[in-house]
Amino acid sequence: MGENADDLILGVDLGGSKILTAVISSQGKMLSRDHSVTPARKGHEAVIQSILESAHRALKQANVDISALTAIGIGAPGISNPETGILFTSPNLPGWQDVPLRDIMQERLDKKTFLINDANAAALGEFYFGAARGVRNFIYITLSTGIGGGIVIDGTIYSGAIGAAGEVGHMTIDDEGPICNCGNRGCWETLASGTALAREARHRIKEGVKTSILEYAEGDVEKVTAQVIHSAADQGDGLAKELIARTGYYVGVGLANLINIFNPELIVIGGGLSNVGDMLLKPAFKTAGERAYKEAFQAVRFAFAELGRNSGVLGAAAFALQEMRRSFCE
Ligand SMILES: [Zn+2]
């Protein structure tokens, strides 16, 4: 992204189960990559300690001194305010409440630090280095255990009044639908995520529907995951195919809403569930086409995310660099 090839950023992708830390150049080249487990249950101090250790390993691996970094960018799950650097709450990080994560990191590493929501980071990663390069207005969604999103308007993440914008997974699709982690009912992610797909399959298996899904889950209904259902569908299992098509239908309902609200040029789709491919996405696009305004649907392009698991860490770094340059220009 940029004119100064010498800028080096430390990117951190903090997840509920793992921490990915990398030293990244302004061109998006990863000079190192450190992967560790998030001690999520031990509380925020233990997690911060793990991030610091991971950061030092990533710096050492890249043979870069911390003084040579331009900045640090952290992508974190949950609701955080990029202006104040406070992480308000996160369903994936139990016990985190109003943690000033940005300032803690900045103090302990003595380096300018920026905080952004993980899905917003991933959207920026795709904007600078991936599937949305050169596209000024697009929406990024990640179909995974939940559904995350990022809204890019005129080349900038739209973060809203307190940083909570882009929580596309929590738009209500069915007002009487399943209870969501956020406390609401029938959010998009309760109907169109990998977790929703697995929950529905377990329910149908317990009802006694004939299926080979269990054979892919060691015979244990509790081990039924979206991936297991995908495998069964690939082998022609009727229930698995039906449930994936149903999930795709709900993906499409949400896409139609996004298309009608934002009229985006592009929707970038990432996340593990998108690997299911046509079986999921054909019904999704069909439904979106039926429900959205025709002209808006005809104007939108869909693309797969290109950066995979690196989108968050690359995007967090890009955000830090973007904010450094913005403050420099002001
Ligand atoms: Zn919700």
Short mmCIF file of all heavy atoms in Angstrom, two decimals, residues 170 180 182 187, ligand 1:
data_model
loop_
_atom_site.label_atom_id
_atom_site.label_comp_id
_atom_site.label_asym_id
_atom_site.label_seq_id
_atom_site.Cartn_x
_atom_site.Cartn_y
_atom_site.Cartn_z
N HIS A 170 -25.47 -9.93 13.14
CA HIS A 170 -26.52 -9.74 14.14
C HIS A 170 -27.70 -8.92 13.62
O HIS A 170 -28.44 -8.33 14.41
CB HIS A 170 -25.92 -9.15 15.42
CG HIS A 170 -24.88 -10.06 15.97
ND1 HIS A 170 -25.20 -11.20 16.69
CD2 HIS A 170 -23.53 -10.06 15.84
CE1 HIS A 170 -24.08 -11.85 16.99
NE2 HIS A 170 -23.06 -11.18 16.48
N CYS A 180 -29.47 -16.04 20.00
CA CYS A 180 -28.10 -15.77 19.55
C CYS A 180 -27.18 -15.53 20.75
O CYS A 180 -27.64 -15.16 21.83
CB CYS A 180 -28.11 -14.55 18.64
SG CYS A 180 -26.53 -14.10 17.94
N CYS A 182 -25.54 -13.03 21.22
CA CYS A 182 -25.65 -11.61 21.59
C CYS A 182 -26.88 -11.35 22.45
O CYS A 182 -27.07 -10.25 22.95
CB CYS A 182 -25.70 -10.74 20.33
SG CYS A 182 -27.29 -10.76 19.48
N CYS A 187 -30.86 -13.81 14.79
CA CYS A 187 -29.82 -13.07 14.06
C CYS A 187 -29.36 -13.90 12.85
O CYS A 187 -29.46 -15.13 12.86
CB CYS A 187 -28.61 -12.83 14.96
SG CYS A 187 -28.92 -11.68 16.29
ZN ZN B 1 -26.93 -11.86 17.49
#
